[in-house]
Amino acid sequence: MSYYDSRNSLGRTTVVLAAANIAVYVLGVLSPKLGRAIYAGGVLSLDGVVLDREFFRIVTSMFLHADTRHLFSNTVALLYLGDPIEKRLGAVRYLILYFAAGIGGNLLTILWELRTMENWNSLGASGAVFGLIGGLLVLCIAYRNRMGSITPARVAAMAVYSVYSGFMMENVNNIAHIGGLVTGLAAGALMVLIPGKTVRRY
């Protein structure tokens, strides 16, 4: 396995994930008909997953965004949070954390909707992004004094503020945020307990 070890550039896997989100959105803008098809077939929906057994929606919805603002906020957070995690864990373990958090948030959403009998269409990378917050918090605690200016207190404050902001806004899937955050914490803890090769020290 090769690792990305530049001190001044963003991790390649982080850039690829951000580019994938942007590419899907731009494709939908350039071709509205194709965009409608992609979104109709890719968003997270209770009926789609449970009744139609379209389990792929749990993943595809992570790469869809409602508008430019939604895309921008998730992409900026992904670049900021993902880079130090990728450089600490390596590309493969970083991807495991990212997708585990996004899937965890979406699964909790489905369970919540089954319990409440609600049926919302959900989309966005924010469940995975919240998982990066959880994973980064664990790494900051485990590798204290080796993550540069990124401290546990700062990441914890970011987590609290992000969850709070979600509850203050309308049409936000806070269940996915919480599910992603908890999954990220758990996945980060496992990766600390089962260490792998790191890229470099901060």
Side-chain angles (χ1 to χ4, degrees):
M1 181 190 304
S2 61
Y3 291 90
Y4 188 69
D5 60 2
S6 171
R7 298 186 65 90
N8 299 315
S9 301
L10 289 170
R12 283 180 288 196
T13 307
T14 300
V15 172
V16 169
L17 287 173
N21 285 317
I22 294 171
V24 172
Y25 183 78
V26 171
L27 183 62
V29 171
L30 294 178
S31 177
K33 183 177 180 179
L34 178 59
R36 286 191 294 271
I38 292 174
Y39 278 70
V43 297
L44 183 72
S45 69
L46 181 63
D47 288 346
V49 173
V50 176
L51 298 181
D52 299 331
R53 299 185 180 278
E54 296 173 342
F55 302 116
F56 58 83
R57 291 176 180 267
I58 296 172
V59 175
T60 56
S61 59
M62 295 167 54
F63 293 91
L64 305 177
H65 290 84
D67 50 40
T68 305
R69 181 179 179 180
H70 188 206
L71 173 68
F72 179 78
S73 62
N74 277 341
T75 301
V76 170
L78 168 59
L79 293 173
Y80 176 77
L81 296 165
D83 182 61
I85 297 175
E86 179 181 354
K87 290 174 180 175
R88 171 56 59 179
L89 296 179
V92 173
R93 287 155 65 86
Y94 166 59
L95 282 173
I96 292 172
L97 171 64
Y98 183 86
F99 279 98
I103 292 170
N106 284 343
L107 287 177
L108 186 61
T109 296
I110 293 298
L111 292 175
W112 178 263
E113 292 185 358
L114 281 171
R115 180 179 181 276
T116 60
M117 297 307 297
E118 297 177 345
N119 189 2
W120 297 90
N121 288 334
S122 300
L123 71 171
S126 53
V129 169
F130 269 77
L132 295 183
I133 297 176
L136 186 58
L137 178 58
V138 172
L139 293 178
C140 285
I141 294 172
Y143 301 109
R144 187 182 295 271
N145 301 323
R146 286 182 284 176
M147 296 292 288
S149 61
I150 307 173
T151 64
R154 290 184 178 182
V155 180
M158 180 188 302
V160 172
Y161 176 77
S162 297
V163 172
Y164 171 79
S165 297
F167 280 102
M168 294 297 103
M169 300 171 64
E170 296 180 353
N171 298 321
V172 173
N173 186 353
N174 292 300
I175 300 301
H177 292 178
I178 294 171
L181 179 62
V182 172
T183 305
L185 288 167
L190 284 175
M191 290 179 184
V192 168
L193 293 173
I194 309 173
K197 182 178 179 181
T198 58
V199 179
R200 63 176 173 81
R201 297 186 182 276
Y202 279 73

